[in-house]
Amino acid sequence: MLRRLVERLRRGSDTLRYPDVPVEFPERFRGRPELDAARCTAGCRPCAARAPSALIRIGDQGDPAVDLGACLFSPEEAAACPHGAIRYTTDHRMASRTRAGLVTPTGEPEQVRALDRTARRLFGRSLRLRSVVAGSCGGCEAELVALGNVVFDMARFGIQFVASPRHADGILVTGTVNPNMRFALEKTYDAVPDPRLVIAVGACAIGGGPFSPSPEAGDGVPASLPVDLYIPGCPPHPLTVLDGLLRLLGRIEDGSRPTRG
Ligand code: SF4
């Protein structure tokens, strides 16, 4: 018993001190993709066609843009550019309040705007979410489960999952929202008392992910639900989810990006 106590004291706390202490991700971590348009030669746009996702969009003027919401974070997407213009940084911070905010020329998303003062007073220190799995592979849920473990410990910020939408302040949706799940999702949303939040987690919930454009799979949270926060990833790292939620609640205000990329 004494040995166990000594070991406990020796180990200290396993919980990350994020966001007070930034987390350094290893080089092999595939975080926010970055596009170096200077490497794109005129008329050279094979990446959009070669990438196994819609990560690269070509605008009306022929300019490429990065769509974080479509990114599957695979090596093949980065390899789609023969000139090495696409690479993954180790930046895990990728959430955006709007879908359009995930589509940018460089890959750096629009900074998350915190909820207004009234909503922050309601949810800022206690946010209860009902998770809705609407046609997912299970990857996103595995990361959401990790948010409850001792390393990430999301509950220390007052954010928790609850079993009933009646007890929730919002829904957190994962999966493509296939036709069989759409009705259940909308009913769950209706059951959450106003004011309520909708959070789309993962490429599937944002736009169908690797299953897009399959009508059987669906293309993410339907337009009938007003999404308050989009969190990219396939699946997103637990800290990507936590970072997005804390920024939404106004508990991280620093908009700076890590210098190491
Ligand atoms: S976004 Fe990726 S990990 Fe999440 S449910 Fe879809 S395929 Fe699975």
Side-chain angles (χ1 to χ4, degrees), residues 136-140 175 202-204 210-211 233-235:
S136 152
C137 75
C140 285
C204 287
F211 309 103
C234 186

Side-chain angles (χ1 to χ4, degrees), residues 62-83:
D63 297 325
V66 177
D67 183 356
L68 281 180
C71 187
L72 304 178
F73 298 83
S74 67
E76 290 80 6
E77 286 164 291
C81 170
H83 306 296

Side-chain angles (χ1 to χ4, degrees), residues 57-126:
R57 289 191 190 186
I58 304 299
D60 295 340
Q61 305 302 319
D63 297 325
V66 177
D67 183 356
L68 281 180
C71 187
L72 304 178
F73 298 83
S74 67
E76 290 80 6
E77 286 164 291
C81 170
H83 306 296
I86 309 167
R87 72 175 193 109
Y88 290 107
T89 68
T90 54
D91 187 359
H92 66 286
R93 302 177 291 183
M94 288 179 267
S96 172
R97 291 291 306 272
T98 63
R99 180 67 184 87
L102 294 175
V103 184
T104 62
T106 59
E108 186 156 326
E110 195 178 86
Q111 199 182 318
V112 175
R113 209 173 0 93
L115 293 167
D116 63 35
R117 185 190 288 244
T118 312
R120 285 210 309 271
R121 257 210 309 270
L122 280 171
F123 306 134
R125 306 200 71 76
S126 168

Side-chain angles (χ1 to χ4, degrees), residues 13-25 92 147 149-154 156-157 237-239 242:
S13 170
D14 286 328
T15 306
L16 294 176
R17 289 171 58 207
Y18 190 86
D20 297 334
V21 178
V23 173
E24 284 284 313
F25 283 82
H92 66 286
L147 277 169
N149 71 25
V150 70
V151 176
F152 302 105
D153 191 16
M154 181 174 71
R156 73 197 141 116
F157 300 103
H237 190 280
L239 285 183
L242 186 60

